[in-house]
Amino acid sequence: MPETSLRNSLSEQLYLFLELGRWIPVSAIVGIMAGSASALLLASLAFVTRIRENHVWLILLLAPAGWLVGLLYKEFGSTVEGGNNLILEEIHDPTSTIPIRMTPLVLLGTIVTHFFGGSAGREGTAIQMGASLADQLARPFRMTPHDRRILLMAGISAGFGSVFGTPLAGAIFGLEVLAIGKLSYEAITPCILSAFIGDIVTHAWGIHHAVYQVMDVPKMSVRGVAYSILAGVAFGIIGMTFAKLTHLVSHTARKFIANPTLRPVAGGLIVTVAVFGIGTSRTLKYIGLGLPTISAAFMVKLPFYDFAAKILFTAVTLGTGFKGGEVTPLFYIGSTLGNALSHVLPLPSSLLAGMGFVAVFAGAANTPIASTLMAVELFGAEAGAYAAIACVISYLFSGHAGIYQAQRVGRSKNLKNVAEEGLSIGSVATLRIAPEENLLDNLNIYGFFGGMQMEHLGVLRMYFSASEMRRPDSWWKRIAPQALGAFLLKQAKDHGIEQALLHRVIGGYLKGQELAMDTGEIPPARLPQCLELVGDKEDLESFVKHNRDHLAKVRVVFLYGREAEIEAAIERQELEEALEMERDESFNAKPRAEG
């Protein structure tokens, strides 16, 4: 091996070793904190559930308890009310540390919800506690925004894995839940370590998880695949229905009840009236976690409508502001729906219950891989094969909907909705019901919305390969090279440039290079990138002067005045053509470009 190649290889391994050494203690701390928090949560929920089951009259106090939860968050938790969505938004766009008070508030709110008979889960609480506790390490460990994203993902994985006793599913859930159709492998090591350590710590506290057993798993066949697909369609539609109904209840409550402390009161009244109005002998199984009913779904035939009743009770509880999670109710909905499907699909009821247990969750959370791993961990590999088919189909048929509004569309599930890529699920729902508006009419001659004064600004564009690295100025930078695009973005921010965009390029070539196209998951190393800066001419010139050593291999184009106006006109024409193509149904029906 040439000496230079050997030196580079050793440098890479040294850097990886140092990175692993840095993340092992951090992951261990995250796992210990999240595992301990989950143990406290599970023990508390088991305790209050026993009391409520022995004193059914406590459900009559659900409405006053809702007022207490609303008051707590109004007075002390306005900055953390976003819950899981706040955590996802911080991962997408790190801005400020999540307040530590999220942990006690969501823990207390969840305990109150279950003590007085609300229908909710526990994963949301575990995720919020794990992520908020983990985020407190960012400052003492002096983490960059990039590292903080990884830290929060590890907190999610540790919380999820420890609360359900499924560390593999928890690890992948932390990677998969951020964006539909994309995984963030940059955090895979901390997520794996944190999830397993969290699970170990939860067990060390003496906490035991419920065991669900699939009694009969037939040998896989063509018919088995076909029936699994049909079941997956039903699971996906129900997962989507649950997510949309919960968001609808939340939106309706906010629209008609301005006071946030009164929304849980209204939800509590509805649940209380339903429980006692229909009869406690029939409705008590629909409140709380519902673990006995989930277990029964694997062993005996249940009423076919149980899943629908649980959807309604949970949507009202969570939609009006009570605290908890959606996943355990989704396990209930999925297992009872699978049990009901056994009347029409010739598969064992326990197998269909197990498939529904994970597949409805896969559709509602858009996490088919984590859900499949959960099936393998809980039910074994043979049942996991059927569950995998159901999870994937459920994921497809739930569409661009889900229980986490801040989750983004990384890769569209179908070609018709490619334009929604990059948007959050909440934004997708808003845009689909909003009337179309031609925003191009509001752009001025410089390509910005009317009323914005842009005449004094210039545009600086830099073109370079995606593999281009910043020029190292120390031995550490040689061991840990930094991508030029990310470095220049940071420099632009430090120089006070008003706007900076690192464009995603689909294809192109630089001077003296061959044409490169981004047709796969991993872009070619020579794929061009374009960094565009918009700001005062003097600031742009200062930026170029300060970074001249790093721009030696970069093509720089400077536009201002009349040149910027002409360029904006060209871009407007291209945008109009792109929008026209997007409206063309025949164009949308064509497959993506092939490599």
Side-chain angles (χ1 to χ4, degrees):
M1 179 183 291
E3 183 179 349
T4 302
S5 177
L6 177 62
R7 188 185 305 115
N8 291 336
S9 178
L10 292 176
S11 296
E12 179 183 6
Q13 302 309 313
L14 175 60
Y15 171 70
L16 293 174
F17 180 78
L18 293 174
E19 278 291 286
L20 181 62
R22 185 166 70 97
W23 279 107
I24 285 178
V26 173
S27 302
I29 296 173
V30 171
I32 292 171
M33 292 192 299
S36 299
S38 292
L40 176 60
L41 170 66
L42 294 173
S44 300
L45 293 185
F47 176 72
V48 299
T49 298
R50 285 195 300 270
I51 295 177
R52 188 196 69 240
E53 289 175 347
N54 292 327
H55 303 84
V56 178
W57 59 267
L58 286 170
I59 303 173
L60 293 170
L61 301 177
L62 182 60
W67 176 80
L68 176 62
V69 172
L71 183 64
L72 277 174
Y73 271 82
K74 180 181 179 182
E75 297 296 329
F76 307 106
S78 58
T79 58
V80 297
E81 193 175 10
N84 291 336
N85 290 310
L86 172 63
I87 295 169
L88 294 183
E89 288 169 358
E90 279 296 320
I91 295 175
H92 291 308
D93 184 20
T95 54
S96 58
T97 302
I98 297 173
I100 187 62
R101 61 179 173 274
M102 172 181 274
T103 294
L105 282 174
V106 73
L107 176 62
L108 181 59
T110 303
I111 291 173
V112 170
T113 298
H114 284 271
F115 187 59
F116 293 101
S119 176
R122 51 195 174 177
E123 116 291 339
T125 306
I127 288 174
Q128 291 176 53
M129 292 194 299
S132 59
L133 290 171
D135 205 23
Q136 308 312 308
L137 302 178
R139 185 169 297 175
F141 280 91
R142 298 182 179 180
M143 292 190 171
T144 63
H146 175 268
D147 288 343
R148 185 168 164 256
R149 291 182 70 252
I150 296 176
L151 182 66
L152 287 171
M153 293 163 69
I156 291 175
S157 294
F160 189 97
S162 60
V163 81
F164 292 125
T166 53
L168 269 179
I172 302 305
F173 179 82
L175 305 175
E176 193 177 18
V177 73
L178 304 181
I180 295 175
K182 286 193 174 182
L183 288 176
S184 298
Y185 281 101
E186 59 187 356
I188 191 169
T189 301
C191 285
I192 286 281
L193 295 176
S194 297
F196 274 92
I197 293 173
D199 182 54
I200 292 171
V201 169
T202 300
H203 282 95
W205 282 107
I207 299 298
H208 301 285
H209 300 281
V211 177
Y212 307 104
Q213 189 173 6
V214 175
M215 304 295 185
D216 183 17
V217 182
K219 183 178 179 180
M220 184 63 75
S221 64
V222 174
R223 288 187 176 182
V225 172
Y227 296 142
S228 298
I229 292 174
L230 292 175
V233 173
F235 295 145
I237 293 174
I238 292 300
M240 177 187 67
T241 301
F242 171 82
K244 289 191 173 184
L245 182 60
T246 303
H247 297 321
L248 176 62
V249 171
S250 177
H251 175 75
T252 303
R254 291 174 183 273
K255 181 179 180 181
F256 292 101
I257 306 176
N259 189 337
T261 63
L262 296 181
R263 293 172 198 147
V265 174
L269 286 174
I270 294 172
V271 171
T272 301
V273 170
V275 168
F276 289 99
I278 300 173
T280 55
S281 61
R282 301 176 62 182
T283 56
L284 286 181
K285 62 180 178 179
Y286 301 132
I287 63 175
L289 291 171
L291 298 182
T293 303
I294 296 176
S295 297
F298 287 83
M299 296 181 290
V300 297
K301 296 287 186 179
L302 297 176
F304 69 91
Y305 52 80
D306 275 356
F307 75 93
K310 186 65 172 177
I311 289 176
L312 295 175
F313 275 87
T314 307
V316 171
T317 299
L318 296 179
T320 54
F322 283 94
K323 301 303 171 183
E326 300 93 345
V327 174
T328 303
L330 286 170
F331 293 163
Y332 183 117
I333 294 165
S335 58
T336 53
L337 174 60
N339 187 286
L341 289 176
S342 66
H343 293 284
V344 294
L345 293 179
L347 288 176
S349 60
S350 65
L351 176 60
L352 281 167
M355 292 163 60
F357 184 101
V358 293
V360 172
F361 165 54
N366 295 296
T367 54
I369 301 176
S371 302
T372 298
L373 288 175
M374 175 176 278
V376 173
E377 289 182 287
L378 293 177
F379 313 130
E382 292 183 352
Y386 283 90
I389 299 171
C391 285
V392 171
I393 300 302
S394 174
Y395 162 78
L396 291 176
F397 273 81
S398 66
H400 291 171
I403 55 179
Y404 305 122
Q405 294 264 49
Q407 188 179 49
R408 295 187 180 178
V409 182
R411 180 74 71 174
S412 176
K413 296 183 184 181
N414 59 77
L415 295 174
K416 181 181 179 182
N417 297 321
V418 171
E420 296 174 352
E421 291 182 354
L423 299 177
S424 67
I425 286 178
S427 298
V428 168
T430 302
L431 288 174
R432 286 185 177 184
I433 62 176
E436 284 195 22
E437 180 182 0
N438 188 5
L439 296 178
L440 293 178
D441 293 338
N442 298 323
L443 298 182
N444 60 24
I445 59 175
Y446 293 95
F448 293 86
F449 286 107
M452 300 181 65
Q453 300 299 320
M454 305 297 297
E455 291 81 356
H456 66 290
L457 299 182
V459 179
L460 179 66
R461 289 181 177 168
M462 290 157 282
Y463 302 90
F464 48 90
S465 297
S467 59
E468 195 70 37
M469 299 293 168
R470 64 165 291 191
R471 182 176 178 180
D473 51 13
S474 65
W475 69 271
W476 176 249
K477 293 296 189 298
R478 295 181 185 277
I479 296 177
Q482 183 181 12
L484 180 61
F487 171 73
L488 292 178
L489 276 175
K490 179 66 167 56
Q491 289 293 305
K493 189 69 174 179
D494 293 343
H495 277 75
I497 305 299
E498 289 193 15
Q499 176 177 303
L501 296 174
L502 185 59
H503 292 284
R504 176 184 177 183
V505 177
I506 297 176
Y509 60 90
L510 298 176
K511 183 179 180 180
Q513 294 185 359
E514 296 294 327
L515 175 64
M517 298 294 295
D518 183 11
T519 56
E521 291 296 326
I522 302 177
R526 67 176 188 278
L527 186 71
Q529 282 189 328
C530 175
L531 175 60
E532 180 181 79
L533 307 182
V534 178
D536 289 325
K537 178 182 177 183
E538 293 76 12
D539 292 338
L540 296 176
E541 291 175 345
S542 174
F543 171 86
V544 173
K545 182 177 179 181
H546 181 80
N547 294 285
R548 59 182 179 272
D549 292 340
H550 302 290
L551 301 177
K553 298 180 180 180
V554 176
R555 171 160 285 191
V556 179
V557 178
F558 192 18
L559 304 172
Y560 62 95
R562 180 61 179 169
E563 294 173 336
E565 180 181 338
I566 295 173
E567 184 69 15
I570 296 174
E571 290 186 353
R572 178 191 175 98
Q573 181 180 355
E574 293 175 346
L575 182 58
E576 289 175 339
E577 292 174 354
L579 290 174
E580 189 64 32
M581 293 175 66
E582 185 180 310
R583 298 188 187 100
D584 187 349
E585 294 184 1
S586 62
F587 174 79
N588 288 324
K590 295 178 181 178
R592 295 176 186 259
E594 298 179 354

